[in-house]
Amino acid sequence: MPFTEDDFLKLQELHSDPEVNRYLSPGPVIMSPEEVHQRLKNYAEDHVQSGISKWKLETLDGRFVGRAGFSWQSDPDGYELGYSLKRSAWGRGYATEIASALVAWFFDNTDQDHLIAYAVREHGASQKVMEKAGMRFWRDMDINGLACRFYRVDRARA
Protein backbone atom coordinates (compact mmCIF):
# COMPACT_ATOMS: atom_id res chain seq x y z
CA MET A 1 0.00 0.00 0.00
CA PRO A 2 1.47 3.41 -0.93
CA PHE A 3 2.64 5.77 1.77
CA THR A 4 0.97 9.16 2.18
CA GLU A 5 1.95 12.22 4.22
CA ASP A 6 -0.48 10.93 6.88
CA ASP A 7 1.88 8.01 7.54
CA PHE A 8 4.62 10.13 9.10
CA LEU A 9 4.03 8.84 12.65
CA LYS A 10 4.10 5.21 11.48
CA LEU A 11 7.35 5.64 9.61
CA GLN A 12 8.85 7.68 12.44
CA GLU A 13 7.93 4.94 14.93
CA LEU A 14 9.63 2.35 12.72
CA HIS A 15 12.82 4.37 12.46
CA SER A 16 12.83 5.48 16.10
CA ASP A 17 14.18 2.07 17.06
CA PRO A 18 17.99 2.00 16.83
CA GLU A 19 17.91 -1.79 16.33
CA VAL A 20 15.66 -1.43 13.28
CA ASN A 21 18.15 1.10 11.89
CA ARG A 22 21.24 -0.93 12.82
CA TYR A 23 22.00 -1.92 9.22
CA LEU A 24 20.45 1.13 7.54
CA SER A 25 21.77 4.62 6.97
CA PRO A 26 22.37 6.48 9.31
CA GLY A 27 23.11 3.39 11.44
CA PRO A 28 22.00 2.31 14.92
CA VAL A 29 20.52 5.66 15.92
CA ILE A 30 17.07 7.19 15.86
CA MET A 31 16.33 8.65 12.44
CA SER A 32 15.67 12.39 12.55
CA PRO A 33 12.16 13.68 11.81
CA GLU A 34 13.62 15.54 8.81
CA GLU A 35 15.03 12.30 7.37
CA VAL A 36 11.72 10.50 7.96
CA HIS A 37 9.82 13.34 6.22
CA GLN A 38 12.23 13.21 3.26
CA ARG A 39 11.92 9.45 2.92
CA LEU A 40 8.13 9.65 3.14
CA LYS A 41 8.08 12.36 0.47
CA ASN A 42 10.37 10.30 -1.79
CA TYR A 43 8.26 7.14 -1.35
CA ALA A 44 5.04 9.00 -2.22
CA GLU A 45 6.59 10.78 -5.22
CA ASP A 46 8.19 7.60 -6.57
CA HIS A 47 4.87 5.79 -6.37
CA VAL A 48 3.03 8.56 -8.24
CA GLN A 49 5.74 8.95 -10.90
CA SER A 50 6.59 5.32 -11.65
CA GLY A 51 4.36 3.04 -9.59
CA ILE A 52 7.55 1.64 -8.06
CA SER A 53 8.42 2.64 -4.53
CA LYS A 54 8.81 1.55 -0.94
CA TRP A 55 5.32 0.75 0.40
CA LYS A 56 3.89 0.42 3.88
CA LEU A 57 3.34 -3.05 5.23
CA GLU A 58 0.32 -3.89 7.30
CA THR A 59 -1.06 -7.14 8.65
CA LEU A 60 -4.49 -8.29 7.52
CA ASP A 61 -5.95 -6.66 10.62
CA GLY A 62 -4.37 -3.31 9.67
CA ARG A 63 -1.40 -3.27 12.07
CA PHE A 64 1.61 -1.41 10.62
CA VAL A 65 4.72 -3.63 10.63
CA GLY A 66 7.20 -1.87 8.33
CA ARG A 67 8.06 -0.92 4.79
CA ALA A 68 9.27 -2.73 1.70
CA GLY A 69 9.63 -2.19 -2.00
CA PHE A 70 12.07 -0.82 -4.51
CA SER A 71 14.30 2.16 -5.17
CA TRP A 72 16.55 3.01 -8.08
CA GLN A 73 20.24 2.62 -7.44
CA SER A 74 22.92 3.95 -9.76
CA ASP A 75 26.02 2.11 -8.54
CA PRO A 76 25.47 -0.62 -9.52
CA ASP A 77 22.60 0.34 -11.83
CA GLY A 78 19.25 -1.23 -11.17
CA TYR A 79 16.27 -1.36 -8.91
CA GLU A 80 17.09 -2.43 -5.38
CA LEU A 81 14.73 -4.45 -3.22
CA GLY A 82 14.65 -3.20 0.35
CA TYR A 83 12.66 -3.95 3.49
CA SER A 84 12.58 -2.84 7.08
CA LEU A 85 10.34 -4.32 9.75
CA LYS A 86 9.44 -3.35 13.29
CA ARG A 87 11.11 -5.55 15.88
CA SER A 88 7.73 -6.99 16.86
CA ALA A 89 7.55 -8.48 13.33
CA TRP A 90 11.00 -10.07 13.36
CA GLY A 91 11.28 -13.86 13.32
CA ARG A 92 7.76 -14.44 11.99
CA GLY A 93 8.65 -15.10 8.35
CA TYR A 94 7.27 -11.75 7.17
CA ALA A 95 10.52 -10.63 5.54
CA THR A 96 10.83 -13.81 3.47
CA GLU A 97 7.17 -13.74 2.47
CA ILE A 98 7.36 -10.07 1.51
CA ALA A 99 10.67 -10.34 -0.37
CA SER A 100 9.48 -13.37 -2.34
CA ALA A 101 6.21 -11.67 -3.28
CA LEU A 102 8.03 -8.48 -4.29
CA VAL A 103 10.49 -10.35 -6.54
CA ALA A 104 7.53 -11.96 -8.34
CA TRP A 105 5.65 -8.64 -8.51
CA PHE A 106 8.71 -6.87 -9.90
CA PHE A 107 9.13 -9.18 -12.88
CA ASP A 108 5.38 -9.34 -13.51
CA ASN A 109 5.02 -5.55 -13.53
CA THR A 110 8.23 -4.16 -15.02
CA ASP A 111 10.35 -4.81 -18.08
CA GLN A 112 13.59 -4.74 -16.07
CA ASP A 113 16.00 -7.61 -16.68
CA HIS A 114 17.32 -7.86 -13.12
CA LEU A 115 16.74 -6.89 -9.50
CA ILE A 116 19.39 -6.37 -6.83
CA ALA A 117 19.43 -6.27 -3.04
CA TYR A 118 22.18 -5.87 -0.51
CA ALA A 119 22.97 -6.02 3.16
CA VAL A 120 25.99 -5.22 5.25
CA ARG A 121 28.22 -8.27 5.46
CA GLU A 122 27.39 -9.11 9.08
CA HIS A 123 23.61 -9.03 8.54
CA GLY A 124 23.22 -12.73 7.84
CA ALA A 125 19.48 -12.81 8.52
CA SER A 126 18.81 -10.38 5.67
CA GLN A 127 21.09 -12.33 3.34
CA LYS A 128 19.11 -15.50 4.09
CA VAL A 129 15.89 -13.67 3.24
CA MET A 130 17.34 -12.64 -0.13
CA GLU A 131 18.40 -16.22 -0.86
CA LYS A 132 14.96 -17.59 0.10
CA ALA A 133 13.42 -15.02 -2.27
CA GLY A 134 15.41 -16.52 -5.16
CA MET A 135 18.31 -14.09 -5.21
CA ARG A 136 21.89 -15.29 -5.47
CA PHE A 137 25.11 -13.77 -4.17
CA TRP A 138 26.51 -11.50 -6.85
CA ARG A 139 29.41 -9.50 -5.43
CA ASP A 140 30.89 -7.65 -2.48
CA MET A 141 31.00 -3.87 -2.59
CA ASP A 142 31.44 -1.03 -0.11
CA ILE A 143 28.51 1.33 0.34
CA ASN A 144 29.10 4.46 2.41
CA GLY A 145 32.20 2.84 3.86
CA LEU A 146 30.40 -0.37 4.87
CA ALA A 147 31.28 -3.77 3.46
CA CYS A 148 28.13 -5.07 1.80
CA ARG A 149 27.07 -8.27 0.07
CA PHE A 150 25.03 -7.81 -3.09
CA TYR A 151 22.48 -10.30 -4.32
CA ARG A 152 20.83 -10.39 -7.70
CA VAL A 153 18.10 -12.19 -9.56
CA ASP A 154 17.71 -12.02 -13.33
CA ARG A 155 14.37 -12.17 -15.12
CA ALA A 156 15.35 -15.51 -16.69
CA ARG A 157 15.80 -17.05 -13.21
CA ALA A 158 12.77 -15.50 -11.52
Side-chain angles (χ1 to χ4, degrees):
M1 175 177 303
F3 277 105
T4 69
E5 289 294 324
D6 295 337
D7 293 315
F8 173 76
L9 292 177
K10 291 176 182 177
L11 196 60
Q12 183 179 39
E13 178 189 4
L14 174 68
H15 291 298
S16 290
D17 183 342
E19 282 303 305
V20 169
N21 295 338
R22 175 165 299 284
Y23 299 113
L24 304 174
S25 175
V29 297
I30 293 172
M31 196 174 286
S32 74
E34 294 80 19
E35 174 71 11
V36 173
H37 270 297
Q38 188 59 53
R39 285 179 182 238
L40 189 60
K41 180 181 174 199
N42 292 346
Y43 299 158
E45 287 175 358
D46 287 349
H47 181 78
V48 168
Q49 290 176 1
S50 68
I52 298 175
S53 184
K54 298 273 174 57
W55 298 297
K56 65 182 165 184
L57 301 174
E58 296 178 339
T59 60
L60 292 176
D61 63 2
R63 191 170 34 92
F64 177 75
V65 294
R67 63 168 175 83
F70 313 98
S71 55
W72 178 258
Q73 167 140 344
S74 57
D75 185 19
D77 281 352
Y79 277 100
E80 177 245 342
L81 168 67
Y83 41 85
S84 185
L85 302 175
K86 291 172 70 171
R87 257 199 279 184
S88 62
W90 293 0
R92 298 175 176 242
Y94 291 152
T96 298
E97 181 179 352
I98 291 160
S100 297
L102 285 173
V103 167
W105 182 94
F106 184 80
F107 289 114
D108 287 346
N109 290 280
T110 74
D111 62 356
Q112 300 293 309
D113 66 349
H114 70 279
L115 178 63
I116 59 176
Y118 67 92
V120 294
R121 188 171 294 146
E122 59 269 6
H123 195 359
S126 190
Q127 293 168 37
K128 286 180 185 174
V129 166
M130 291 180 245
E131 290 170 356
K132 288 179 182 178
M135 303 183 96
R136 298 291 172 253
F137 173 74
W138 181 39
R139 69 189 220 188
D140 288 321
M141 184 175 168
D142 284 359
I143 300 290
N144 299 323
L146 297 173
C148 295
R149 303 210 63 163
F150 275 74
Y151 288 73
R152 178 179 166 137
V153 61
D154 295 318
R155 177 176 291 280
R157 293 182 67 197

